Amino acid sequence: MQSGNPALNKNTFLDAASGAVFSRDDGAMSLNGTVNKTGLLLVLVVVGAMFSWSRFAGPASLPALGPLVLAGALAGFVLAMLTAFKQTWAPVTAPLYALAEGVFVGALSAIFEMRYPGIVMQAVALTFGTMAVLLLGYRSGLIRVTDKFRAGVVAATGGVLLVYLASFVMGFFGHSFGFIGASSGIGILFSLAVVAIAALNLVLDFDMIEQGVHAGAPKYMEWYGAFALVVTLVWLYLEMLRLLSKLQSRN
């Protein structure tokens, strides 16, 4: 079973030593436990965002937001890598990741809000509205995670990551894919496609977590599953911000 989220893949719930699915009678992973920990991590994201947002007091405060964006992004990346490669650390690293990512998201959101008033609340509403609709569709059986569905989303996610990486590397040589940030028709279509791909990754995450629960994964995997969901939600929120900013810049 494969998820497009790099934090959740077919080996997530396997014992590194034996290659067998984790199975424990005591303290096994539960769906309610994962949901509760996801809620806690989202609260920590909000706490971190409020900290950096509070530093925003108009255009004069923009220089102070830059270091927060950079520090939050770097700390979040390092903690995400630690969590992905050392899943047993998730009860500690996942909350720290949520705080760091909150600082990054809050500072970046303040920058977007200054240029496009009201955009942050729109992006938040669209992000959680999308999650609610997809969760309802998944739980009701309207959305089924088949092998073809999974392979398509994983391939599309990999394609988006390659495009972003190529654009980043080309930036060092004075070139980039202009449509990524452009508010042209192509730029908006690209953002719509990325938003759709990020949203579909939520469905794969739901499925992977459910598979872990059924497999009797250990309790700490609740933290890991919650961490993976937050990774996808943050990505979806950032892509929503990008899409909305493109649409508003055309008005």
Side-chain angles (χ1 to χ4, degrees):
M1 310 296 283
Q2 180 82 15
S3 169
N5 188 333
L8 286 177
N9 57 59
K10 63 182 180 180
N11 296 318
T12 295
F13 301 110
L14 297 184
D15 188 316
S18 66
V21 176
F22 283 114
S23 183
R24 300 183 181 180
D25 294 330
D26 297 331
M29 179 183 185
S30 70
L31 191 58
N32 286 339
T34 306
V35 169
N36 292 338
K37 289 174 175 60
T38 301
L40 177 58
L41 292 186
L42 289 175
V43 169
L44 292 176
V45 170
V46 172
V47 170
M50 290 176 63
F51 168 78
S52 53
W53 184 279
S54 67
R55 299 298 187 271
F56 176 67
S61 62
L62 283 179
L65 293 176
L68 290 176
V69 171
L70 182 60
L74 289 176
F77 176 77
V78 170
L79 288 164
M81 291 299 99
L82 286 174
T83 308
F85 287 104
K86 197 69 174 177
Q87 298 164 7
T88 54
W89 293 1
V92 175
T93 56
L96 292 176
Y97 163 82
L99 284 171
E101 204 68 4
V103 171
F104 162 66
V105 167
L108 190 64
S109 297
I111 295 173
F112 271 88
E113 184 70 17
M114 186 194 70
R115 187 169 182 181
Y116 307 104
I119 192 173
V120 169
M121 289 306 300
Q122 293 174 20
V124 169
L126 285 172
T127 298
F128 284 98
T130 299
M131 182 184 71
V133 170
L134 290 175
L135 180 58
L136 179 62
Y138 174 75
R139 296 299 294 174
S140 66
L142 291 176
I143 301 177
R144 297 182 182 277
V145 181
T146 64
D147 288 342
K148 289 184 178 180
F149 177 90
R150 187 178 297 105
V153 175
V154 171
T157 303
V160 170
L161 293 178
L162 285 176
V163 169
Y164 279 150
L165 179 60
S167 183
F168 177 76
V169 172
M170 290 171 60
F172 289 105
F173 303 96
H175 302 283
S176 65
F177 296 129
F179 61 84
I180 292 179
S183 58
S184 62
I186 295 178
I188 291 174
L189 287 175
F190 174 77
S191 286
L192 281 170
V194 177
V195 165
I197 293 168
L200 291 176
N201 268 277
L202 284 174
V203 178
L204 297 192
D205 292 345
F206 299 151
D207 184 65
M208 286 297 298
I209 290 171
E210 191 169 53
Q211 294 297 324
V213 171
H214 291 164
K219 197 70 172 176
Y220 68 80
M221 293 303 291
E222 292 178 353
W223 284 105
Y224 192 81
F227 153 76
L229 269 178
V230 171
V231 168
T232 304
L233 281 172
V234 169
W235 177 32
L236 178 59
Y237 168 74
L238 294 176
E239 295 299 343
M240 286 290 190
L241 272 182
R242 186 194 297 272
L243 173 60
L244 290 172
S245 67
K246 290 180 179 181
L247 293 173
Q248 291 195 23
S249 66
R250 291 171 63 91
N251 295 335

